[in-house]
Amino acid sequence: AQSVAQPEDQVNVAEGNPLTVKCTYSVSGNPYLFWYVQYPNRGLQFLLKYITGDNLVKGSYGFEAEFNKSQTSFHLKKPSALVSDSALYFCAVRDLRTGANNLFFGTGTRLTVIP
Amino acid sequence: DAGVTQSPTHLIKTRGQQVTLRCSPKSGHDTVSWYQQALGQGPQFIFQYYEEEERQRGNFPDRFSGHQFPNYSSELNVNALLLGDSALYLCASSLRDIFTTTDTQYFGPGTRLTVL
């Protein structure tokens, strides 16, 4: 079975400070991990993904994520937060071993960047 | 380059009615997946269509059905609506990679369905 946990419902950070949004996953095989962002009344926008290779993945809008196999984590990071980064962030996983294409999503973390 | 589009944007129905939601995939994509996002939750996979066939299905009842057309667009049909079907319905498209299955899904803006 596959699952994703986002332990924090809400993250607040001051503008200009680094931000981290946490994600841990559980899959039987090799994980294929994603981060998506959702703005109010909008669909999900793709930020980045990890399949294999370097554990640090760079994505859109200055975001990056660090894959840690031993901790089964895939935390989203940004060196300097912007007010416009305030949104709902979702981590998702696919199990490459099963060949299934559907994504399993976490419950989301609401990021608020305080001016 | 047009992204994923969905129609309508909003829809209000009453219990027991039927609804059809529509999705046009991103240009060049051939696979369409549908997700249900209840308020305060992450999206949950309903089913996926490729080559006009349902290829994979999540844990949703048969009241949820779909179709994919030759131009890759898709419809989601829900019969006998329940109050619990109220949600944001998201369509995602991708270009199927039959060798590595590492395609990335791109989402549309969603259709907000309210069942009264």
Side-chain angles (χ1 to χ4, degrees):
Chain A
Q2 301 118 102
S3 65
V4 167
Q6 294 183 243
E8 301 160 317
D9 291 335
Q10 174 83 40
V11 170
N12 297 324
V13 63
E15 186 178 21
N17 282 2
L19 69 86
T20 299
V21 182
K22 297 179 180 178
C23 170
T24 58
Y25 66 89
S26 175
V27 297
S28 301
N30 295 323
Y32 182 19
L33 293 155
F34 298 80
W35 276 101
Y36 286 87
V37 59
Q38 187 174 37
Y39 295 98
N41 301 314
R42 302 284 294 276
L44 276 68
Q45 293 182 27
F46 169 73
L47 282 179
L48 52 80
K49 65 182 179 182
Y50 171 83
I51 304 174
T52 186
D54 288 342
N55 289 339
L56 187 63
V57 179
K58 293 190 182 297
S60 305
Y61 313 119
F63 284 94
E64 57 190 26
E66 186 171 10
F67 172 69
N68 187 316
K69 186 174 182 179
S70 63
Q71 298 184 5
T72 61
S73 67
F74 188 56
H75 300 332
L76 181 70
K77 301 181 179 185
K78 188 174 182 181
S80 179
L82 300 173
V83 173
S84 58
D85 292 331
S86 298
L88 189 56
Y89 290 80
F90 288 98
C91 181
V93 68
R94 270 172 51 189
D95 187 342
L96 288 173
R97 184 180 64 89
T98 66
N101 289 315
N102 56 300
L103 297 172
F104 288 85
F105 284 86
T107 52
T109 298
R110 185 165 301 283
L111 173 68
T112 300
V113 181
I114 303 164
Chain B
D1 179 20
V4 180
T5 59
Q6 293 185 243
S7 63
T9 305
H10 295 87
L11 206 51
I12 299 175
K13 293 285 186 178
T14 57
R15 282 177 296 175
Q17 285 188 311
Q18 178 265 344
V19 67
T20 298
L21 311 181
R22 294 176 176 82
C23 171
S24 292
K26 183 179 169 66
S27 177
H29 285 183
D30 58 7
T31 301
V32 173
S33 303
W34 287 91
Y35 290 80
Q36 180 195 65
Q37 185 180 12
L39 199 61
Q41 300 296 317
Q44 290 194 348
F45 175 73
I46 303 174
F47 43 53
Q48 183 178 83
Y49 278 84
Y50 171 67
E51 292 185 331
E52 303 179 48
E53 291 188 16
E54 183 184 296
R55 299 291 180 167
Q56 197 175 336
R57 189 179 184 92
N59 188 26
F60 279 81
D62 292 344
R63 299 187 297 109
F64 289 78
S65 64
H67 189 76
Q68 186 179 33
F69 298 95
N71 67 353
Y72 308 119
S73 67
S74 177
E75 289 182 348
L76 163 65
N77 301 292
V78 186
N79 295 322
L81 284 167
L82 304 174
L83 295 179
D85 294 333
S86 294
L88 180 67
Y89 287 85
L90 296 165
C91 169
S93 75
S94 58
L95 177 61
R96 181 169 289 268
D97 183 331
I98 61 174
F99 296 108
T100 66
T101 68
T102 57
D103 45 306
T104 298
Q105 294 183 11
Y106 293 87
F107 285 79
T111 294
R112 173 75 61 188
L113 172 65
T114 301
V115 182
L116 302 177

